[in-house]
Structure formats: C-alpha cells, structure tokens
Amino acid sequence: MKQQFLALSIILILTSSCLSSDNKTPVELPEDPKATWQIVQNIDVNEINNDLVDGKMTIDVGIYFPSNFDSNFEKVTLDKMMTSFLAAKEIYAPTDVQLKLLWVKTGEVNPKYFSIESNKVPTVPRTEYANMYVHSKRHPSIPTERTLNAFDHIIEPDESNSRTIYLVVLQEVFYPFLAVSEGRNWMTKAVRTGGMSFPTYSFVNTLPERFRGVMTITNLSRTDRLRSTIAHEIGHKAMNVSHEYMDTDPENEIFAEGGLMLYGAGEEIPSGEAGRWHLERLHLSPFIYRLNSEGVKIWNEDYLEGGHYYDPIYGDKVRHFNSKPPIKEDW
C-alpha cells in the first residue's frame, strides 16, 4: 500500500513539474512568412495616371492580386480589376477627387487567407434606441484573428499605410451580422461579399491603423459589379457612410436605384443636407491629399476619434436620424 502511495506521489510530482515547466516556457508557433510581391510589368501605371493634375484632391490606391488562386476562381481577373478601377476614376471625376494608381502587384499568398471572415459575430444586436452609426460607435465591429493575420501577411509596411487605400483580391470574404428572426429573437447571418471596405464608421478603432485603408474585392463577374464595385467600396472608405441615399437611412443591404452608395446602377455622389453630405464628407476624408508647389503631399486632417460617423472632423456634415424598430413595437 505504501509502495502504491509512493508511486502515485512520484507521478503527481512529475506531472506538476511538467505543467509548471510548460506554463513558464510556452511553445512558440513559427511566424507566418510575409507574402512576396512583384510589380505587374504589363500594366502601364504612368499611362493610367496621365490625367492627374497637381494640386487636385487625390487618393492613392494600390492593388494586390495573388498569383496562386485556386484554378476555378474566375470571379476576379487582373483585366476586370483594371476595368473596374478605371470606371471608379470616371465615377469620381465629377467630385474633383482623382484616384492615383500607385502600383499593381502580384505574388503568392498563403492559401489559408484566400477565404476570411471580416469580423467576429456581434454580441449586441442593434435595436430601436440608436441608429446604425451611433450603435456602431458604441459597439464597433471587431476583426477576426484570421483577418488581421491575412492583412499582416499581405500588406507591406509603409509610412503612409494609414492614408493609402489597398485593393486586395481574395476568393471569399464573409460578413457576419445579427438579424431579427421570429419576432424578437435574433440569429446570425453571413453575407458572401463581392467587396468589403472595412469602413471606420463600423470598425472605428478596432483595426490597427496601418490596415485602415484595406479593402477586399472578391466578385466582379457581373456587368454591374464590374462597373461600380471598386467605386462603391471606396465610397464606404472615403465618404465614411453605409448604404444610404437622400431619404434612405443606412442598412446592411439596400437594393434600389439611387446614388453610388446603394446596390443598384446609381453613380451619383450628392451634396448638401438633402444628399446626406456625401460629397462634403468625401472632400474631408483623411485619405485625401493635395500636392503643394514643392510636390509635397498635404494631407487632410486625420480622424480625431477613430473615424466613427460622427467623428469631429466632419463638423455638421452628419445626419442625426431615428432608428427604426427591427421588431414589433408591442413585443
């Protein structure tokens, strides 16, 4: 009996020692290698930028296109990306904002990042007490670990990371959100996105600053997507508004024929209070700069409170609207 007790004691001591050692010296996982990028030589960036005017409001854009996608992925090609980017330049021309293409790069990306979830499933639903923008300020979207790792793997460090828009082509990006089901219950839904802007009105300060300009493009296969997807997603980023237009308050999805920020054929970027200040908010975007006479970039004022919709940089160029009850008022 004593021998059994002694043997058990030794086992417990050894087990405790192993656990203590593990706690003191955790196993370190190997660092994820960064993607290696090369300039796409057959795209003439200078020719694309030959219409740029010094001193005019400008947004810098870089394009990352992985070279090792699954063979049956055809929803986005380099040709489609360039067609959509040129359409975006055309759509923004009437606003006096010009899009400057910095480069188009290709290279192998870790396939585990071909598909990502944009954000964690929200834990607090939006109810009738606060509109979408107020709710997002209080409960911002939180990027998933996979998303952050993917961006770290793909985006090259640069002093202007937080001021540059990066169009990153991926195969799938899923956007999870909460929706009403069966009266006053809530359920998780996930949209398979064609473009995802990771806007600051939604993520506020939960995205590291150097990833603030990242957007993903996953589907340009339809004619309407080809024409407006990049322009629409830049709108989320640069105007810092959701899907809204004139008297149409923002929602996750709104299919209607209106301005650029609805799902439809519209391309208008309206101004004034009636236009929900879209043009004015665009002109105030921290992603905009002007070149001075010495060729130095003079940037717009940066966000003061993480870039929520009501960030002080926008002054009175905001809308204060009531939230519509998502469930029956007599619940």
Side-chain angles (χ1 to χ4, degrees):
M1 188 71 177
K2 289 183 179 180
Q3 290 178 339
Q4 290 176 340
F5 178 78
L6 179 61
L8 179 60
S9 298
I10 292 173
I11 291 172
L12 290 173
I13 291 171
L14 289 174
T15 302
S16 176
S17 175
C18 290
L19 289 173
S20 176
S21 176
D22 287 345
N23 288 335
K24 290 180 181 178
T25 312
V27 176
E28 293 187 6
L29 297 175
E31 185 178 352
D32 192 21
K34 303 297 187 287
T36 302
W37 300 102
Q38 302 86 37
I39 297 291
V40 177
Q41 297 297 331
N42 63 348
I43 294 177
D44 191 338
V45 172
N46 290 329
E47 176 65 23
I48 291 171
N49 291 332
N50 67 2
D51 61 337
L52 299 183
V53 178
D54 289 349
K56 192 173 181 179
M57 289 180 288
T58 307
I59 295 177
D60 285 345
V61 180
I63 296 176
Y64 286 115
F65 191 96
S67 61
N68 58 321
F69 282 137
D70 293 326
S71 59
N72 59 347
F73 175 68
E74 299 177 347
K75 292 187 181 299
V76 184
T77 63
L78 266 177
D79 285 344
K80 289 175 181 176
M81 280 296 293
M82 301 318 300
T83 298
S84 192
F85 177 77
L86 291 173
K89 283 173 62 76
E90 181 182 331
I91 290 169
Y92 279 91
T95 71
D96 290 327
V97 174
Q98 55 189 5
L99 304 182
K100 178 180 180 179
L101 182 62
L102 298 179
W103 35 255
V104 181
K105 295 182 179 181
T106 189
E108 289 197 1
V109 167
N110 191 323
K112 69 181 180 182
Y113 298 132
F114 288 168
S115 299
I116 62 174
E117 321 82 20
S118 62
N119 52 276
K120 297 179 180 179
V121 176
T123 58
V124 179
R126 178 166 60 93
T127 61
E128 70 268 29
Y129 304 116
N131 68 42
M132 172 183 278
Y133 297 132
V134 172
H135 178 82
S136 293
K137 179 184 176 183
R138 296 173 183 173
H139 307 283
S141 298
I142 300 174
T144 63
E145 183 178 0
R146 182 184 301 276
T147 289
L148 294 177
N149 289 342
F151 291 171
D152 186 57
H153 174 69
I154 292 169
I155 305 301
E156 300 161 294
D158 186 85
E159 63 180 3
S160 297
N161 276 148
S162 67
R163 300 281 196 162
T164 304
I165 287 182
Y166 299 101
L167 302 178
V168 178
V169 180
L170 296 178
Q171 290 185 176
E172 295 173 311
V173 177
F174 297 95
Y175 167 63
F177 63 96
L178 296 176
V180 176
S181 173
E182 300 176 357
R184 62 191 179 101
N185 300 325
W186 296 84
M187 65 179 295
T188 302
K189 289 188 175 182
V191 173
R192 190 182 188 187
T193 65
M196 180 69 192
S197 58
F198 297 86
T200 57
Y201 68 77
S202 178
F203 286 81
V204 193
N205 54 9
T206 62
L207 270 174
E209 197 169 273
R210 71 187 184 96
F211 299 150
R212 193 172 69 182
V214 180
M215 297 173 9
T216 55
I217 303 296
T218 51
N219 189 352
L220 297 176
S221 61
R222 298 198 317 249
T223 302
D224 57 332
R225 289 186 181 276
L226 185 63
R227 170 70 184 173
S228 62
T229 294
I230 287 179
H232 175 91
E233 298 306 328
I234 289 177
H236 283 311
K237 192 75 82 176
M239 296 179 221
N240 204 13
V241 299
S242 183
H243 303 114
E244 58 168 47
Y245 178 73
M246 296 295 190
D247 293 328
T248 305
D249 289 342
E251 290 294 343
N252 289 324
E253 294 179 308
I254 300 179
F255 295 88
E257 295 308 316
L260 179 64
M261 300 317 297
L262 298 182
Y263 290 146
E267 297 181 356
E268 182 190 8
I269 299 174
S271 65
E273 184 175 7
R276 306 186 77 92
W277 308 110
H278 283 189
L279 182 63
E280 290 80 3
R281 290 176 66 87
L282 170 64
H283 288 173
L284 290 168
S285 173
F287 292 99
I288 285 179
Y289 67 87
R290 296 171 177 82
L291 288 180
N292 65 14
S293 57
E294 285 78 39
V296 176
K297 294 179 180 180
I298 307 301
W299 293 97
N300 277 357
E301 182 180 13
D302 204 354
Y303 296 126
L304 299 176
E305 294 181 359
H308 60 83
Y309 174 82
Y310 297 102
D311 194 288
I313 69 165
Y314 296 113
D316 61 355
K317 304 302 185 289
V318 298
R319 287 287 293 266
H320 299 278
F321 56 94
N322 294 324
S323 179
K324 298 176 182 177
I327 62 177
K328 296 180 179 180
E329 294 186 10
D330 63 350
W331 65 271

